[in-house]
Amino acid sequence: MPRPMKWRKVCCLPERNRFGPLDANTDEENYLRMTVDEYETIRLIDLEGFTQEECAKQMNVARTTVQGIYVEARKKLAESLVNGKVLMIEGGEYRLCDGSGNGCGRGCYRYRRGYFEDNKV
């Protein structure tokens, strides 16, 4: 019996979940689906500058798990850019953090956004 899936901790959902060419056909073969946890690895590693190990700690999974998620996410980004496909971000095995910053660390976008909005920074 396989181990149960470990939920990946995600700090925020994307503000927009559809990206791609403006003139894209709307048929199903022109869509790619990226999971929310794949999006989170791209955000943490490429945008926030985390290492894979730091990202794994933030998401509460093993580094090897993050590595696999990250590889798949980058393939999907590349396919969207190179082949002009629409990228939809939805689904996946994740749980949203509570936004309080408890155990979230420096990469918690929800916590940081709330702090900046509350303090008008």
Side-chain angles (χ1 to χ4, degrees), residues 75-116:
K75 281 182 189 176
K76 291 174 184 179
L77 282 175
E79 187 172 351
S80 177
L81 289 171
V82 173
N83 296 327
K85 294 191 175 192
V86 175
L87 184 67
M88 296 287 294
I89 302 172
E90 60 189 9
E93 305 290 334
Y94 70 95
R95 293 275 191 250
L96 284 174
C97 75
D98 63 8
S100 67
N102 295 331
C104 274
R106 68 180 168 97
C108 183
Y109 188 68
R110 290 177 60 175
Y111 176 70
R112 194 172 54 215
R113 187 174 1 164
Y115 173 81
F116 290 136

Side-chain angles (χ1 to χ4, degrees), residues 10-67:
V10 170
C11 288
C12 65
L13 296 174
E15 289 184 22
R16 290 171 184 75
N17 70 338
R18 182 178 168 168
F19 303 90
L22 299 175
D23 62 347
N25 292 334
T26 56
D27 57 357
E28 195 66 28
E29 66 188 37
N30 287 320
Y31 278 82
L32 289 172
R33 300 227 178 328
M34 177 182 280
T35 63
V36 174
D37 48 321
E38 289 171 336
Y39 161 82
E40 183 76 345
T41 61
I42 293 291
R43 185 184 75 79
L44 290 173
I45 294 171
D46 292 336
L47 184 63
E48 299 291 336
F50 280 39
T51 64
Q52 288 183 7
E53 192 169 323
E54 291 168 328
C55 179
K57 185 176 179 185
Q58 178 84 9
M59 293 179 69
N60 198 32
V61 294
R63 188 204 51 80
T64 54
T65 300
V66 163
Q67 185 177 24

